[in-house]
Amino acid sequence: MASNNPSVFLLMINGQIEGGNFPEYDDLYCKYCFVYGHDWAPTSGLEEGISQITSKSRLSPHKLIWNFPLEITFKSTNPSGWPQIVVSVYGPDTFGNDVVRGYGATHVPFSPGQHTKTIPMFVPESTSRLQKFTSWLMGRRPEYTDPKVVAQGEGREVTRVCSQGFVTLTFHIVTKDMKKLGYDGTPSDPSNTLSQASSTGLRPHE
């Protein structure tokens, strides 16, 4: 009877952080973490991870290849707070210190199937020339103490940022029991939204 009247639905995510495009930098690695609402809980897999350091090759001088796997399953009672993935990229500066080279975030795709997403990356900027010079001299550039703030948006409007590079991810999404709970995530139209998104407060974000 429980299988006919489920109380939760499942979101299964498999994929990988394929690579990044950072023309000015090399020898970079990335970190990821998932951010999700109060009604969501991971049931298996990893919520966060850190990749190997990778370098550009002669075959792809403008691209860094990580092919870093993602695998996690969530359960939830409603789609509000749909998971986002936050990616942070780091690498050495002139003095050999590890500094942030980019932050970015995107929602996990809403519809089942294969998806590819390219995330524009950015870095926080110093607010004055003196702070910029001091950051360069000390080998410490501005960065967030908690990268999850990238997905939350609160306070972001007072942060000065600079666009810097792109990261590409691929996803294979499987959902279970969403329709039984009254939610339809199938891509029936080009907008690719959930049928009850407006009533639950979910706002699709590409």
Side-chain angles (χ1 to χ4, degrees):
M1 183 65 68
S3 60
N4 294 328
N5 297 284
S7 58
V8 299
F9 64 82
L10 299 179
L11 171 66
M12 290 160 272
I13 304 164
N14 281 281
Q16 61 182 6
I17 304 174
E18 287 196 337
N21 190 328
F22 292 83
E24 298 180 23
Y25 304 110
D26 201 358
D27 302 321
L28 305 181
Y29 64 93
C30 66
K31 298 179 181 179
Y32 77 87
C33 61
F34 286 95
V35 179
Y36 44 88
H38 298 297
D39 295 321
W40 293 76
T43 61
S44 65
L46 298 176
E47 286 188 65
E48 55 186 32
I50 180 170
S51 77
Q52 75 281 8
I53 297 173
T54 190
S55 304
K56 297 173 182 176
S57 68
R58 294 179 182 178
L59 296 177
S60 56
H62 302 294
K63 191 171 184 181
L64 296 148
I65 306 298
W66 288 299
N67 289 334
F68 190 62
L70 305 169
E71 185 174 354
I72 190 169
T73 298
F74 290 98
K75 67 178 180 180
S76 182
T77 55
N78 76 79
S80 181
W82 193 273
Q84 298 180 66
I85 184 170
V86 176
V87 179
S88 312
V89 176
Y90 298 85
D93 65 5
T94 307
F95 304 104
N97 301 307
D98 269 7
V99 296
V100 65
R101 294 305 186 193
Y103 294 106
T106 185
H107 277 93
V108 171
F110 300 107
S111 59
Q114 297 279 359
H115 304 268
T116 299
K117 288 201 172 190
T118 298
I119 307 176
M121 306 294 283
F122 67 89
V123 290
E125 282 282 278
S126 299
T127 55
S128 70
R129 290 183 179 180
L130 178 60
Q131 285 179 329
K132 286 183 180 181
F133 177 73
T134 304
S135 297
W136 176 83
L137 192 64
M138 302 295 290
R140 299 285 299 177
R141 68 164 301 126
E143 59 182 84
Y144 297 117
T145 54
D146 183 1
K148 290 183 178 181
V149 70
V150 175
Q152 294 164 356
E154 296 180 9
R156 281 274 310 281
E157 66 276 3
V158 298
T159 304
R160 179 181 295 179
V161 299
C162 174
S163 297
Q164 190 162 279
F166 297 87
V167 168
T168 301
L169 298 85
T170 56
F171 297 93
H172 180 71
I173 303 299
V174 176
T175 60
K176 184 176 186 294
D177 292 333
M178 285 194 71
K179 287 187 176 182
K180 290 182 180 179
L181 289 173
Y183 305 108
D184 186 2
T186 56
S188 57
D189 57 71
S191 63
N192 195 20
T193 61
L194 289 167
S195 60
Q196 295 193 7
S198 58
S199 62
T200 59
L202 179 66
R203 291 292 181 270
H205 169 76
E206 290 295 326

